[in-house]
Amino acid sequence: MNLRVPLCVAATLFVILFAFTQPALASTEAPATASETRAANAQDQINTLHKELTTLVTLQKQVSGDDKLALQLQMFQKNEQLRDLIANGVKSGSIDTPFLIEQIRQQQTYANDGVKYLTQRAAELSEKLNNAKNEDKFALLAEYEESRKYLDSMYEETSQNIQWLKKLDALKPQEEQNLTKVITQRAEQLAANVEYLRQQLSADDAQLKVAPEAEKASIQLSKLMSQRRMDITTSSLKVMIELADNVGIPTAEYKRLFFEVTGNVTQDLLSSDVLLSIVKTWSSKLWDWVIENAPQHIFQLIVFLIILLIARQIAKLTRKVVKRAVVSKNLKFSQLMQEFFISMSGKAVWFIGILIALSQIGLNLTPILTGFGIAGVIVGFALQDTLSNFAAGMMLLIYRPFDVGDFVAAGGVEGKVSHMSLVNTTIKTFDNQIIIVPNSKIWGDVIKNVTHERVRRVDMVFGVSYSDSIPHVEEVLNDIVNNHPSVLRAPEPMIKLHVLNSSSVDFIVRPWVKTDDYWDVYWDITREVKVRFDKEGISIPFPQQDVHLHMQSGQSLPPAKDV
């Protein structure tokens, strides 16, 4: 196992000193075969590493600072080499068994003493972390993390030593039981620490939501430290779960806790024991939550529904009141403006009612309103064209150039306004087509409202022949116009000789009618003029030209030919 030099390594040198100043077992027999030669070589390498380690222990007492750290690093490297040789010897069986057992016993003593010291060291650092100033916490946390990693490695070495002794049939029953007990206690302790840190993180989150700005920095620092310690603890828990699996200790609860805290999905989750543990824990928490919170939340839900019902009724009542107000003749609101006020009043009351209902179930409205503001800015940039149409709709609403039911020519379209909104206007053409025109296009162009006024003048022109009597024509036209029931007496109709055209004498006929009767009068008078002109012998000429031929003397017309 590769290890970095921990910050607390100086305090563990007594363990190494104890482990490697013991005399190594030497082989007393000369090698006779190739296998015995290899075994002797391995034993010689182990003895050599013992001597080098003993020398390094002696030297490190005489130096300090960086030189001491360098010697410590070499000591750990030598110990790793030593363990590799022991592992190869156990695997191959090429080294003398009593010699190997003695080496493993020394490693076991070293690991046990290391666990004791590093456990105490980690506890001291944890206590210092709780009492340290903010500026000192990160340095202590780094040292705490390093000591915990080295402690985990000591547990791994202890477990490996037991496995070696078991393979060599040198393991005492009590030793395996002690290992199981130690791993179980360690795993339980780490699980308890994880639960405590999880509660601490939840408490920090709750405090952040209600704390004033001046205190948030301190709480965030506490949360950061708790999260770092949680990462360190879960890393150690993962190591202990692996060791527990190796010795047959049930680990379903530990794996469930590790998954809940870290969210890491591993193949262990496919285990039925782990899944069952997760389901039991979650169902138990859910049931506890229901028992503890159900009455309160049911009451809040009832209040929520009652407020919504009340808001709905108030919204309906508000719409009725506003409708009665805006249809008043004194206000002279357009149809679109009436619909706008009626709709917005009901929606405003409904929206306020929803906010009040949400606040009753404990929802914080500040982030929601802030979110609406931010979303409004984003939507404003994304929907510039739509907002332009909305602004144009507001201008149409305020200045009222036309209303629903008017015949207009706007945005390049002619027809009857069938529907208006704040975004677009629906126009129904005379041939029954539905055309939806954006309000920005209507407001940015000329608007012609044909039916805005109650009274309109019908402009018509009738041409007669130059041979017809002018007074007679005037008399007939006056009779036709004055006898039509839809023609208004005031203003008076106008019948005048207007233009002497090349082919006709044109009279203008301009009666005044109600706007709704415009086309009926136009069509009736046009028909009646044709009928009366024919009856009175008045001709309606069509464009014609007279061609005059002047013949010179001696010339004659060419003979006609049959075609």
Side-chain angles (χ1 to χ4, degrees), residues 240-451:
M240 300 312 298
I241 289 174
E242 294 175 355
L243 297 181
D245 285 335
N246 293 336
V247 298
I249 299 174
T251 57
E253 286 295 322
Y254 306 135
K255 291 176 180 177
R256 186 267 308 168
L257 181 62
F258 182 80
F259 166 71
E260 290 181 353
V261 173
T262 64
N264 293 337
V265 178
T266 63
Q267 63 181 7
D268 293 329
L269 291 179
L270 301 178
S271 171
S272 59
D273 293 340
V274 179
L275 290 175
L276 182 60
S277 176
I278 293 175
V279 171
K280 286 183 176 179
T281 302
W282 288 0
S283 60
S284 176
K285 290 181 178 179
L286 177 61
W287 181 248
D288 292 340
W289 181 89
V290 169
I291 294 176
E292 182 178 353
N293 299 287
Q296 176 184 355
H297 287 293
I298 291 174
F299 177 76
Q300 289 178 340
L301 180 61
I302 294 174
V303 173
F304 175 79
L305 295 176
I306 292 175
I307 293 176
L308 289 183
L309 291 175
I310 295 174
R312 183 180 180 183
Q313 298 302 320
I314 294 177
K316 289 183 178 179
L317 180 62
T318 303
R319 287 171 61 90
K320 291 180 180 179
V321 173
V322 173
K323 184 176 181 179
R324 291 182 181 179
V326 297
V327 297
S328 174
K329 295 181 179 179
N330 296 329
L331 296 178
K332 297 181 180 180
F333 284 159
S334 65
Q335 183 68 27
L336 177 60
M337 185 172 287
Q338 293 176 15
E339 293 178 357
F340 173 77
F341 281 120
I342 294 171
S343 176
M344 291 304 297
S345 61
K347 291 179 180 178
V349 172
W350 183 244
F351 179 73
I352 294 173
I354 291 176
L355 291 181
I356 295 175
L358 291 176
S359 66
Q360 294 302 310
I361 61 176
L363 188 64
N364 188 4
L365 299 181
T366 302
I368 297 177
L369 297 178
T370 304
F372 280 149
I374 297 173
V377 175
I378 297 174
V379 172
F381 282 107
L383 303 177
Q384 295 184 19
D385 294 338
T386 302
L387 292 178
S388 175
N389 292 327
F390 183 84
M394 292 298 297
M395 300 302 291
L396 294 174
L397 179 70
I398 295 172
Y399 289 100
R400 299 164 51 193
F402 56 82
D403 204 347
V404 175
D406 289 345
F407 285 91
V408 299
V413 180
E414 294 184 0
K416 181 180 180 180
V417 179
S418 63
H419 179 71
M420 296 176 65
S421 69
L422 290 175
V423 179
N424 55 56
T425 299
T426 302
I427 297 177
K428 188 176 184 180
T429 63
F430 298 110
D431 56 351
N432 210 31
Q433 297 183 50
I434 299 296
I435 300 178
I436 300 175
V437 186
N439 285 338
S440 59
K441 188 173 183 180
I442 293 176
W443 184 252
D445 200 355
V446 176
I447 300 174
K448 180 181 178 182
N449 191 335
V450 179
T451 58

Side-chain angles (χ1 to χ4, degrees), residues 20 49 82 124 128 144 231 269 368 387 403 451 469 523:
F20 297 111
L49 287 173
L82 179 60
E124 293 175 355
K128 289 182 179 180
Y144 175 78
D231 295 339
L269 291 179
I368 297 177
L387 292 178
D403 204 347
T451 58
S469 171
W523 293 325

Side-chain angles (χ1 to χ4, degrees), residues 21-27 43 46-47 50-51 99 102-103 106:
T21 54
Q22 304 298 322
L25 295 179
S27 177
Q43 292 180 11
I46 292 175
N47 289 329
H50 266 290
K51 293 179 181 179
F99 179 82
E102 181 65 24
Q103 300 302 317
Q106 290 184 2

